[in-house]
Amino acid sequence: MTERGADAALTRVAREEGGRLLALLADRLGDLDLAHDVLQEAYAKAAATWPARGLPDDPAAWVYVVARNAGIDRYRREAAAGRRVAAQARVLDTGVARDDAALPEGPAPRLIAEETEVGDEQLRLLLLCCHPALSRETQVVLTLRLAGGLTTQEIAAAFLVPEATVQQRIVRAKRKIRDARIPLVIPADLRERAAVLAAVLGLIFNEGYVAHSSTAGTLTRVELADQAIRLTAAAADALPDEPELAGLLALELFHRSREDARTDAGGALVRLADQDHARWDRVMVARGFAALGRALAARRLGPWQVQALIAAEHTRESTDWARIVRYHDLLLQMAPGPVARLSRAVALAEVDGPQAALAEISTIDGLDGYHLFHAARGDLLERTGDRAGAREAWERAAALATNPAEAGYARLRSDACGA
């Protein structure tokens, strides 16, 4: 097997199965730090051996077994070292050496039977990372990195912060989990972790829905988006009294239903207004409405439910933009922020025209490094007839976009303004 083929296979395992593998190892070994270390060792061993020996039949299982064995070996070495120290202490105390075989084995890893369905383990890891002993930002970043399998680059792009900031938060969080001996168990009362869990699952889905570093040049990381939906559904079932989780599930299903219509035959981005509704997955839309109905029945409206209501409006034959603006007003009351204001301005353009939306956008600070901010400006300026300004905005959007499909779309719009 070529080195390039082996690298591609290993990258697939790390991206698509990394979160599950870490969850299984953490559950098996009972130590998150150790699980992370031995998983990295297994990746390194795979990179060294697969090109020469060929790809195993089940690459993910190969990585798991190698990592698990490395973890068990480390426990055994630590236990043996402890026995040697204890024996030496007795020699110094009594002058007589004793048989090591008679000494206790010391702490050992949890030896549990692996299950074919690893969703419970991954959900347990998500809940561990959402521990209230950690700050809110740290909980989200740690969960995205360890349980979600996102890279520091992808997390930094999601939060609009430098990669170094993300890395520092991850290191501090792992140290606190180790020093505070936070157990890898699902707590009896999950309600205090529901909000962070929803935020994390939403970010995992967002990275799958629009990948920030798609090496294949595709708009979507389908496997990651589907993993987020599966975990959100599991979380909603585990916490039936938390309607925001069901609201998030509805939002994810509405967005995911449009997958086949989001790009054309050549992989180019097709914006929502131009999509062929006949290509939407109506079964998934129906599942989204079922989840939304379950959430709304609790009569405790939250930001994820409002976002789901906005997405639901787009599934109808005729979009009621005035209603969508009102939903955005409600969302801004619940979760204010510059991105939420930008989304409202885009909707406002369909009600009051592009000039009103541009006036609104001009008051938003903190989004100069956000490609969708410049894409929105480009579209609005183009609609007002300012082609030069629109071209500049689209060029800026293309330069900032990390997803190839989004960058390509922005370049096309820029070229069209120049022509």
Coordinates of all heavy atoms in Angstrom, one line a residue, residues 6-52:
A6 N -2.2 5.0 2.8 CA -2.2 4.7 4.3 C -2.6 6.0 5.1 O -3.3 5.9 6.0 CB -0.9 4.1 4.7
D7 N -2.0 7.1 4.7 CA -2.2 8.4 5.4 C -3.7 8.7 5.2 O -4.3 9.2 6.2 CB -1.4 9.5 4.8 CG 0.1 9.4 5.3 OD1 0.3 8.6 6.2 OD2 0.9 10.0 4.7
A8 N -4.3 8.5 4.0 CA -5.7 8.9 3.8 C -6.6 8.0 4.7 O -7.6 8.5 5.3 CB -6.0 8.7 2.4
A9 N -6.3 6.7 4.8 CA -7.1 5.8 5.6 C -7.0 6.2 7.1 O -8.0 6.2 7.8 CB -6.6 4.4 5.4
L10 N -5.8 6.5 7.5 CA -5.6 6.9 8.9 C -6.3 8.2 9.2 O -6.9 8.3 10.3 CB -4.1 7.0 9.2 CG -3.7 7.4 10.7 CD1 -4.3 6.3 11.7 CD2 -2.2 7.4 10.9
T11 N -6.3 9.2 8.3 CA -7.0 10.4 8.5 C -8.5 10.2 8.6 O -9.2 10.8 9.5 CB -6.7 11.4 7.3 OG1 -5.3 11.6 7.3 CG2 -7.5 12.7 7.5
R12 N -9.0 9.3 7.8 CA -10.4 8.9 7.9 C -10.8 8.3 9.2 O -11.8 8.7 9.8 CB -10.8 7.9 6.8 CG -11.6 8.5 5.7 CD -12.2 7.4 4.7 NE -11.4 6.3 4.5 CZ -10.4 6.1 3.6 NH1 -10.1 7.1 2.8 NH2 -9.8 5.0 3.5
V13 N -9.9 7.4 9.7 CA -10.2 6.8 11.0 C -10.2 7.9 12.1 O -11.1 7.9 13.0 CB -9.2 5.7 11.4 CG1 -9.3 5.3 12.8 CG2 -9.4 4.5 10.4
A14 N -9.2 8.7 12.1 CA -9.1 9.8 13.1 C -10.2 10.7 13.1 O -10.7 11.1 14.2 CB -7.7 10.5 13.0
R15 N -10.7 11.1 11.9 CA -11.7 12.1 11.8 C -13.1 11.5 12.1 O -13.9 12.1 12.7 CB -11.7 12.8 10.4 CG -10.5 13.7 10.2 CD -10.5 14.3 8.9 NE -11.5 15.4 8.9 CZ -11.3 16.6 9.2 NH1 -10.1 17.0 9.6 NH2 -12.2 17.5 9.2
E16 N -13.3 10.3 11.5 CA -14.7 9.8 11.6 C -14.9 8.9 12.8 O -16.1 8.8 13.3 CB -15.0 9.0 10.3 CG -14.9 9.8 9.0 CD -15.1 9.0 7.8 OE1 -15.5 7.8 7.9 OE2 -14.8 9.4 6.7
E17 N -13.9 8.3 13.3 CA -14.0 7.4 14.4 C -13.3 7.8 15.7 O -13.4 7.1 16.7 CB -13.5 6.0 14.0 CG -14.2 5.4 12.8 CD -15.6 5.0 13.1 OE1 -16.0 4.8 14.3 OE2 -16.4 4.8 12.1
G18 N -12.5 8.9 15.6 CA -11.7 9.3 16.7 C -12.5 9.5 18.0 O -12.1 9.1 19.1
G19 N -13.6 10.2 17.9 CA -14.4 10.4 19.1 C -14.9 9.1 19.8 O -14.9 9.0 21.0
R20 N -15.4 8.2 18.9 CA -15.9 6.9 19.5 C -14.7 6.1 20.1 O -14.9 5.5 21.1 CB -16.5 6.1 18.3 CG -17.8 6.8 17.7 CD -18.4 5.8 16.8 NE -19.6 6.4 16.2 CZ -20.5 5.7 15.6 NH1 -20.4 4.4 15.4 NH2 -21.6 6.3 15.1
L21 N -13.6 6.1 19.4 CA -12.5 5.3 19.9 C -12.0 5.9 21.2 O -11.8 5.1 22.2 CB -11.3 5.4 18.9 CG -11.5 4.6 17.6 CD1 -10.4 4.9 16.6 CD2 -11.7 3.1 17.8
L22 N -11.9 7.2 21.4 CA -11.5 7.8 22.6 C -12.5 7.5 23.7 O -12.2 7.2 24.9 CB -11.4 9.3 22.5 CG -10.9 10.0 23.7 CD1 -9.5 9.6 24.2 CD2 -10.9 11.5 23.5
A23 N -13.8 7.5 23.4 CA -14.8 7.2 24.4 C -14.7 5.8 24.9 O -14.8 5.5 26.1 CB -16.2 7.5 23.8
L24 N -14.5 4.8 24.0 CA -14.4 3.4 24.3 C -13.1 3.2 25.2 O -13.2 2.5 26.2 CB -14.3 2.5 23.1 CG -15.6 2.0 22.5 CD1 -15.3 1.3 21.2 CD2 -16.3 1.1 23.5
L25 N -12.0 3.8 24.8 CA -10.8 3.7 25.6 C -10.9 4.3 27.0 O -10.4 3.7 27.9 CB -9.6 4.3 24.8 CG -9.2 3.6 23.5 CD1 -8.3 4.4 22.7 CD2 -8.5 2.3 23.9
A26 N -11.5 5.5 27.0 CA -11.7 6.1 28.3 C -12.6 5.3 29.2 O -12.3 5.2 30.4 CB -12.3 7.5 28.2
D27 N -13.6 4.7 28.7 CA -14.5 3.8 29.4 C -13.8 2.6 29.9 O -13.9 2.1 31.0 CB -15.7 3.5 28.6 CG -16.8 2.9 29.5 OD1 -17.4 3.6 30.3 OD2 -17.1 1.7 29.3
R28 N -12.9 2.0 29.0 CA -12.2 0.8 29.3 C -11.1 1.0 30.3 O -11.0 0.2 31.3 CB -11.6 0.2 28.0 CG -10.7 -1.0 28.2 CD -11.5 -2.2 28.5 NE -10.6 -3.4 28.7 CZ -10.5 -4.4 27.8 NH1 -11.2 -4.4 26.7 NH2 -9.7 -5.4 28.1
L29 N -10.4 2.1 30.2 CA -9.2 2.3 31.0 C -9.5 3.2 32.2 O -8.7 3.2 33.2 CB -8.1 3.0 30.2 CG -7.6 2.2 29.0 CD1 -6.6 3.1 28.2 CD2 -6.9 0.9 29.4
G30 N -10.7 3.9 32.2 CA -11.0 4.7 33.4 C -10.2 5.9 33.6 O -10.2 6.5 34.6
D31 N -9.5 6.4 32.5 CA -8.6 7.5 32.6 C -8.6 8.2 31.3 O -8.1 7.7 30.3 CB -7.2 7.0 33.0 CG -6.2 8.2 33.3 OD1 -6.3 9.2 32.5 OD2 -5.4 8.1 34.2
L32 N -9.1 9.4 31.2 CA -9.2 10.2 30.0 C -7.9 10.5 29.4 O -7.6 10.4 28.2 CB -10.1 11.4 30.2 CG -10.3 12.3 29.0 CD1 -11.0 11.6 27.9 CD2 -11.1 13.6 29.4
D33 N -7.0 11.0 30.3 CA -5.6 11.4 29.8 C -4.9 10.2 29.2 O -4.3 10.3 28.1 CB -4.8 12.0 31.0 CG -4.3 13.4 30.6 OD1 -4.7 13.9 29.6 OD2 -3.5 13.9 31.5
L34 N -4.9 9.1 29.9 CA -4.3 7.9 29.4 C -4.9 7.5 28.1 O -4.2 7.1 27.1 CB -4.4 6.8 30.4 CG -3.8 5.4 30.0 CD1 -2.4 5.5 29.7 CD2 -4.1 4.4 31.1
A35 N -6.2 7.5 28.0 CA -6.9 7.1 26.8 C -6.5 8.0 25.6 O -6.2 7.5 24.5 CB -8.4 7.2 26.9
H36 N -6.3 9.3 25.8 CA -5.9 10.2 24.8 C -4.5 9.9 24.3 O -4.1 9.8 23.1 CB -6.0 11.6 25.2 CG -5.7 12.6 24.2 ND1 -4.5 13.3 24.1 CD2 -6.5 13.1 23.1 CE1 -4.5 14.1 23.0 NE2 -5.7 14.0 22.5
D37 N -3.6 9.6 25.3 CA -2.2 9.3 25.0 C -2.0 8.1 24.2 O -1.3 8.1 23.2 CB -1.4 9.2 26.3 CG -1.2 10.6 27.0 OD1 -1.5 11.6 26.3 OD2 -0.8 10.6 28.2
V38 N -2.7 7.0 24.6 CA -2.5 5.7 23.9 C -3.1 5.7 22.5 O -2.7 5.0 21.6 CB -3.0 4.5 24.7 CG1 -2.2 4.4 26.0 CG2 -4.5 4.6 25.1
L39 N -4.2 6.5 22.4 CA -4.8 6.7 21.1 C -3.8 7.3 20.1 O -3.7 6.9 18.9 CB -6.1 7.4 21.2 CG -6.9 7.6 19.9 CD1 -7.3 6.2 19.3 CD2 -8.2 8.4 20.1
Q40 N -3.1 8.4 20.6 CA -2.1 9.0 19.7 C -1.0 8.1 19.4 O -0.5 8.1 18.3 CB -1.6 10.3 20.4 CG -2.6 11.3 20.8 CD -3.5 11.7 19.6 OE1 -3.0 12.0 18.5 NE2 -4.8 11.7 19.8
E41 N -0.6 7.2 20.4 CA 0.4 6.2 20.1 C 0.0 5.3 19.0 O 0.8 4.9 18.1 CB 0.8 5.5 21.4 CG 1.5 6.3 22.4 CD 1.7 5.5 23.7 OE1 1.6 4.3 23.7 OE2 2.0 6.1 24.7
A42 N -1.3 4.9 19.1 CA -1.8 3.9 18.1 C -1.8 4.5 16.7 O -1.5 3.9 15.7 CB -3.2 3.4 18.5
Y43 N -2.2 5.8 16.6 CA -2.2 6.5 15.3 C -0.7 6.5 14.8 O -0.5 6.3 13.6 CB -2.7 8.0 15.5 CG -4.1 8.1 15.7 CD1 -4.6 9.2 16.4 CD2 -5.1 7.2 15.2 CE1 -6.0 9.4 16.6 CE2 -6.4 7.3 15.4 CZ -6.9 8.4 16.1 OH -8.2 8.6 16.3
A44 N 0.2 6.8 15.6 CA 1.6 6.9 15.2 C 2.1 5.5 14.7 O 2.8 5.4 13.7 CB 2.5 7.4 16.3
K45 N 1.7 4.4 15.4 CA 2.1 3.1 15.0 C 1.4 2.7 13.7 O 2.1 2.1 12.8 CB 1.7 2.1 16.1 CG 2.2 0.7 15.9 CD 2.0 -0.2 17.1 CE 2.7 -1.5 16.9 NZ 2.6 -2.4 18.1
A46 N 0.2 3.1 13.5 CA -0.5 2.9 12.2 C 0.2 3.6 11.1 O 0.4 3.0 10.0 CB -1.9 3.3 12.3
A47 N 0.6 4.8 11.3 CA 1.3 5.6 10.2 C 2.6 4.9 9.9 O 3.1 5.0 8.7 CB 1.6 7.0 10.7
A48 N 3.3 4.2 10.8 CA 4.6 3.6 10.6 C 4.4 2.2 9.9 O 5.3 1.8 9.2 CB 5.3 3.5 11.9
T49 N 3.3 1.5 10.2 CA 3.2 0.1 9.8 C 2.3 -0.1 8.6 O 2.5 -1.0 7.8 CB 2.8 -0.8 11.0 OG1 1.5 -0.3 11.4 CG2 3.8 -0.8 12.1
W50 N 1.3 0.6 8.5 CA 0.3 0.4 7.4 C 0.9 0.5 6.0 O 0.5 -0.3 5.1 CB -0.9 1.3 7.5 CG -1.8 1.0 8.7 CD1 -1.7 -0.1 9.6 CD2 -3.0 1.6 9.0 NE1 -2.7 -0.1 10.5 CE2 -3.5 1.0 10.2 CE3 -3.7 2.7 8.5 CZ2 -4.7 1.3 10.8 CZ3 -4.9 3.1 9.2 CH2 -5.4 2.4 10.3
P51 N 1.8 1.5 5.7 CA 2.3 1.5 4.3 C 3.1 0.2 3.9 O 3.0 -0.2 2.8 CB 3.3 2.7 4.4 CG 2.7 3.6 5.5 CD 2.2 2.6 6.5
A52 N 3.8 -0.4 4.9 CA 4.6 -1.6 4.6 C 3.7 -2.9 4.7 O 3.9 -3.7 3.8 CB 5.7 -1.7 5.6

